[in-house]
Amino acid sequence: MVSKDVHFFSVGSLGGRTLVIYMKKKGLDSVFRVLEPVVGKINERTKAPVSLSSRLGWRQPRSEWFRVYRDFFLPSESYDLIFLKARIAILCTKGFEIMDLSDFKSVTIPQRDDPRHEKLAKRCESCRPMGMFRSSENEFLLCYDEFGLYVNRHGDPSRTKGTIEWEGTAEHVAWHPPYILIFDSRFIEVRHVETGRLCQIIPGHDLRCIWDGRGASLPLPAPAPMEAGKRHHDKRRGCMGSCAQKTYHKGALVQADLRVVRDSISSS
């Protein structure tokens, strides 16, 4: 089993298989190994009786809890890996590499072949990808450290308004449907994933993200609570007044949900 030099790992499900993918660096390449848990072996190890040798501290043959499912590499620096419905997304220096594990075919998004997006492509190359969230059935929000960008299922920019500029610089992003939380060390931006609208800013000092929302079984985000243009939002105030007080999701006050997040961060 792996004991060192792992830069990150991710757990998810593809094609009915539960998979664990971890990344190690080799030179300038990112080398990935895909593991699949062996359920029978895990149960066998759990139920095994305690022997005299184990009580004396002698090492027993280790059960193979995981089998190697795939190995592959990416010729660039990688930062994270996200499981999608049928593919994986690798966050790397090239952008968001969408890969099919069955044949390792991949495509980089956002698409940069269109000359109309030349300026946007250069900016994407200069920023670091931080997260990718489904905003609707056919659209995703790509989060970089400086801005957000909506793309369709083909990776093309899908909205005419262009990018969503963050108030700060994202060090982490987290999923709290129907909101994304953008962590700057000084504050957390709370934005609706479908509109990108800033709903609240939670100030603090040396803020850290302790859980990014992965692993939670949650539905697609609910429709935006207010249509664009119906209410003026002061960007400098961060909509901490009426928007934070009157936005509801499944009967729960958003501000109460965010207080839980804030308290968790403060206690870490």
Side-chain angles (χ1 to χ4, degrees):
M1 289 297 293
V2 178
S3 59
K4 61 179 181 179
D5 301 329
V6 173
H7 285 247
F8 63 81
F9 73 93
S10 187
V11 182
S13 179
L14 282 179
R17 295 174 180 266
T18 297
L19 301 176
V20 180
I21 305 179
Y22 68 84
M23 189 280 283
K24 301 175 74 171
K25 290 194 68 175
K26 185 176 182 181
L28 299 177
D29 297 336
S30 298
V31 181
F32 294 86
R33 169 154 287 188
V34 186
L35 303 174
E36 183 178 15
V38 182
V39 178
K41 289 291 185 180
I42 295 175
N43 294 336
E44 178 183 292
R45 175 69 176 270
T46 303
K47 297 177 181 178
V50 179
S51 63
L52 176 61
S53 58
S54 64
R55 290 174 180 172
L56 295 176
W58 297 347
R59 298 187 63 182
Q60 297 295 306
R62 178 176 295 177
S63 297
E64 293 298 329
W65 285 13
F66 298 89
R67 67 165 63 97
V68 177
Y69 179 63
R70 293 280 194 277
D71 286 322
F72 65 95
F73 80 96
L74 202 64
S76 65
E77 183 179 2
S78 301
Y79 311 119
D80 200 356
L81 184 146
I82 299 170
F83 282 83
L84 305 176
K85 280 187 176 180
R87 294 175 174 80
I88 58 172
I90 303 172
L91 283 57
C92 59
T93 52
K94 296 193 297 181
F96 295 81
E97 193 80 5
I98 310 301
M99 178 180 290
D100 189 332
L101 280 183
S102 63
D103 55 14
F104 300 119
K105 291 182 178 179
S106 65
V107 61
T108 304
I109 64 171
Q111 297 285 359
R112 303 174 186 181
D113 298 334
D114 193 330
R116 293 175 300 174
H117 302 146
E118 182 179 357
K119 185 177 180 180
L120 176 62
K122 289 182 179 179
R123 190 176 183 198
C124 290
E125 290 174 358
S126 66
C127 294
R128 177 168 174 159
M130 304 298 295
M132 179 177 180
F133 305 100
R134 185 182 292 274
S135 56
S136 66
E137 186 61 33
N138 298 306
E139 189 179 52
F140 293 89
L141 174 60
L142 306 183
C143 293
Y144 289 84
D145 56 351
E146 295 182 0
F147 65 95
L149 174 68
Y150 288 101
V151 298
N152 58 26
R153 298 180 66 178
H154 303 290
D156 297 313
S158 57
R159 302 197 183 184
T160 56
K161 65 180 181 180
T163 61
I164 304 168
E165 301 297 325
W166 308 146
E167 299 291 322
T169 300
E171 297 180 357
H172 291 91
V173 293
W175 181 224
H176 189 72
Y179 303 93
I180 57 169
L181 309 180
I182 303 157
F183 285 76
D184 186 288
S185 61
R186 303 161 297 167
F187 54 83
I188 303 171
E189 295 180 46
V190 182
R191 292 179 179 269
H192 198 286
V193 70
E194 188 179 342
T195 64
R197 177 179 289 122
L198 180 64
C199 292
Q200 187 175 9
I201 289 182
I202 303 174
H205 300 283
D206 195 22
L207 294 172
R208 305 292 179 88
C209 176
I210 58 175
W211 179 49
D212 64 4
R214 272 182 272 194
S217 299
L218 294 167
L220 283 173
M226 290 179 288
E227 294 179 9
K230 282 198 173 183
R231 184 186 296 272
H232 176 71
H233 295 270
D234 189 337
K235 183 176 180 181
R236 292 171 298 177
R237 291 178 57 221
C239 302
M240 295 182 66
S242 58
C243 183
Q245 294 293 337
K246 297 183 179 180
T247 303
Y248 288 83
H249 176 55
K250 293 185 178 179
L253 192 60
V254 170
Q255 191 178 29
D257 287 341
L258 297 176
R259 189 178 300 115
V260 175
V261 177
R262 179 175 56 192
D263 292 344
S264 298
I265 296 167
S266 300
S267 61
S268 62

